[in-house]
Every structure is written in C-alpha cells, then in structure tokens.
Amino acid sequence: MLSYKGHKLDLKNFLSSEGIIEGYGSVFRNEKDSDGDIIVKGAYKKTLSENAQRVKFLGYHDMSKPIGKMEDIHEDDYGLKFRAKISNTQLGNDMKILIEDGVLNEFSVGFVPIVQEWDASLKTNFIKKIKLFEVSLV
C-alpha cells in the first residue's frame, strides 16, 4: 500500500523565473508525525542508490500529472532533499501560479515502507527503509 508524508513548502527556495524548486520531500524528526510515525535517517538510502533517476516530480500524487524533472535528490542530516525543474507546460505554469498564490504549500512523498518497527512503549512506528516513488506538490 502506498503511503504519503507531507512537509511544508518554503517559498523562498522557489525560483519562478527559472522554474527551479528545491526543498525537503520529508524530514527526519525526533517526534512522531500526524500518523504516529518517525522516518529514520537512512530510510531512503537504498532506494536512492538503486532508483533515484526513476523518482517522479508530480502534482497531487497523481502519476498522470508529472510537473517536472528531478535534477537532484539525496538524503542529508535533515531529510530527503531535492531540486527539480518545473516544466514549461500548461500544468507546470498552473502549478507555479498556485505556489505563488499560496494554494500549494507542501511537498509530500509517495512511498511504500519496506522495513518498519513498532515500539509499543513509545506507541511509535519507526520507518527504517522506504521504496520511494515520487515527490509531489500538494
């Protein structure tokens, strides 16, 4: 089953004149997210080493709505960092307007958890390995 996790969009990193957008698809936290999960640093390592070139940049987690191309995607100490170029298409231009108007204000990842561990004492699910399919604007 495909899962989704969101992270707020930082508009200062959006360069509308070039159509370049960068930020974090997800972050590593020391606290549970709204689903009671913690994505552990290193969770994306295997999928990125094997399939980074296949990770899509979408609108609304919809594979029929590609909005651009990933230029870089990797883990750093904070989270899953990426840089993408929004295509100069009608959909891409519409997405740029929705970002500038504040309608679209989050990045979100679509993935399948491969390795996870439930800690009953903390009531927390630690996601340790992920198969990443896409990063979306939502």
Side-chain angles (χ1 to χ4, degrees):
M1 182 171 88
L2 202 59
S3 297
Y4 303 105
K5 297 288 180 194
H7 182 68
K8 293 288 183 191
L9 176 64
D10 186 350
L11 291 177
K12 72 181 179 190
N13 290 325
F14 176 67
L15 307 173
S16 61
S17 64
E18 298 174 24
I20 302 292
I21 192 162
E22 59 184 312
Y24 288 88
S26 74
V27 296
F28 308 128
R29 304 173 186 221
N30 292 326
E31 59 191 50
K32 295 185 275 190
D33 64 21
S34 59
D35 297 321
D37 298 330
I38 292 178
I39 296 177
V40 176
K41 182 179 176 190
Y44 295 100
K45 185 176 181 179
K46 186 174 184 339
T47 194
L48 291 176
S49 70
E50 294 174 352
N51 292 307
Q53 72 283 355
R54 297 186 73 194
V55 175
K56 304 299 183 195
F57 187 49
L58 305 176
Y60 317 108
H61 295 294
D62 187 339
M63 285 291 193
S64 71
K65 292 184 172 37
I67 59 172
K69 181 177 172 143
M70 286 290 173
E71 292 187 340
D72 180 56
I73 186 164
H74 64 275
E75 277 192 19
D76 66 13
D77 287 337
Y78 186 70
L80 180 68
K81 188 171 187 176
F82 75 94
R83 175 183 165 104
K85 177 158 181 35
I86 298 175
S87 297
N88 190 22
T89 62
Q90 183 63 51
L91 178 59
N93 291 326
D94 288 349
M95 298 299 270
K96 290 177 198 174
I97 291 167
L98 292 170
I99 291 166
E100 291 168 355
D101 288 349
V103 176
L104 296 176
N105 61 1
E106 288 188 31
F107 292 125
S108 183
V109 292
F111 68 95
V112 172
I114 303 299
V115 176
Q116 51 191 332
E117 183 179 307
W118 175 253
D119 185 319
S121 65
L122 297 174
K123 297 182 182 174
T124 303
N125 184 41
F126 290 89
I127 301 175
K128 297 182 173 187
K129 190 182 291 185
I130 285 173
K131 182 166 184 167
L132 179 67
F133 293 95
E134 50 92 4
V135 176
S136 283
L137 279 168
V138 294

